Amino acid sequence: MKNKTTAAWLAFLGGPLGLHRFYLRGWGDMLGWLLPIPSALGLYGIERARMFGLDDAWSWALVPLLGFTIAGCALTAIVYGLMTPEKWNARYNAGAPADAPPGRTQWLTIGAVVLALLFGSTVLMASIVFSFQRYFEYQIEEGRKISQ
């Protein structure tokens, strides 16, 4: 039986690697195998920013991929944690009673939801700010080139 608390923590902590998808849907889940790609590209963007500085256009295009992936996985953890036991058991524990223990919300489930909300919203806002700042700086540089 699939436990809601375990799935919420896996989505929060291991979401960018697809761990929650593998836990709930098995090793054949295609999205679980695709989730590490934007995570790896974002990490590559961070490494490019360290090597070439923040003026590197590829880094400011790639870094937000990691942030948006983390934020999306945090949102998934929130959705899992707030799902009613009846809906959870109907979706992931077919054949189990509607009020089976794996679908119940516990304090650890609430902890995953709170941390996912805190960390996910912070990473999302930081990714948006980084993207827009770099974009507007690039536009100003291009405008200066045109005006000279």
Side-chain angles (χ1 to χ4, degrees):
M1 295 184 76
K2 307 298 183 196
N3 189 301
K4 178 166 66 168
T5 304
T6 303
W9 279 103
L10 282 174
F12 173 57
L13 296 174
L17 299 176
L19 298 181
H20 63 292
R21 306 276 310 183
F22 296 134
Y23 174 70
L24 294 173
R25 294 175 176 87
W27 292 105
D29 184 56
M30 186 57 69
L31 188 56
W33 289 106
L34 293 176
L35 266 173
I37 294 172
S39 303
L41 288 172
L43 288 172
Y44 175 65
I46 291 171
E47 185 60 29
R48 282 188 66 97
R50 289 182 64 213
M51 288 178 5
F52 304 118
L54 290 177
D55 292 335
D56 180 46
W58 278 104
S59 67
W60 65 262
L62 292 175
V63 168
L65 287 175
L66 178 63
F68 294 142
T69 303
I70 291 172
C73 292
L75 178 62
T76 302
I78 293 167
V79 169
Y80 288 165
L82 296 179
M83 195 176 292
T84 63
E86 295 82 16
K87 189 173 181 181
W88 178 266
N89 287 324
R91 182 173 291 172
Y92 298 110
N93 296 321
D99 61 345
R104 291 186 188 149
T105 302
Q106 303 167 0
W107 283 107
L108 284 174
T109 315
I110 299 302
V113 169
V114 168
L115 288 176
L117 182 61
L118 174 70
F119 191 69
S121 60
T122 302
V123 169
L124 177 64
M125 293 307 296
S127 298
I128 291 171
V129 166
F130 180 80
S131 299
F132 284 128
Q133 177 186 354
R134 300 306 308 155
Y135 174 74
F136 289 127
E137 288 174 358
Y138 174 77
Q139 291 297 321
I140 289 171
E141 290 172 12
E142 291 300 313
R144 287 185 180 151
K145 288 179 186 175
I146 292 173
S147 66
Q148 291 178 0

